[in-house]
Amino acid sequence: MADVSDRTLQVIILVSFATGFVAGWQANRVRRRFLDWRKKRLQDKLTETQKKLDLA
């Protein structure tokens, strides 16, 4: 292994952890937004279907 100081190694590990943390946080936000959108869409479809059944 090349000569890497302990301080440099600590910084690299910290940056790597922070990058992974931020990426995971953003992925969870996107997933939550998608699930909210899907829930709203399905609720709208259910409401529409119930209206059609009431009219039939």
Side-chain angles (χ1 to χ4, degrees), residues 20-33:
F21 178 81
V22 170
W25 177 49
Q26 291 297 323
N28 193 39
R29 286 184 60 207
V30 170
R31 179 179 169 271
R32 178 63 44 204
R33 187 175 297 157

Side-chain angles (χ1 to χ4, degrees), residues 1-16:
M1 185 171 157
D3 291 332
V4 178
S5 68
D6 286 342
R7 183 76 177 149
T8 304
L9 192 59
Q10 288 176 349
V11 170
I12 290 171
I13 290 172
L14 180 65
V15 169
S16 175

Side-chain angles (χ1 to χ4, degrees), residues 2 15 18 23 32 34 37-38 41-42 44 46-47 49 53 55:
V15 169
R32 178 63 44 204
F34 167 74
W37 169 81
R38 189 173 71 174
R41 187 184 63 128
L42 289 174
D44 291 346
L46 177 63
T47 303
T49 303
L53 287 174
L55 292 175

Side-chain angles (χ1 to χ4, degrees), residues 43-56:
Q43 285 176 337
D44 291 346
K45 278 187 169 183
L46 177 63
T47 303
E48 185 179 320
T49 303
Q50 286 174 334
K51 285 181 185 177
K52 286 181 182 177
L53 287 174
D54 288 343
L55 292 175

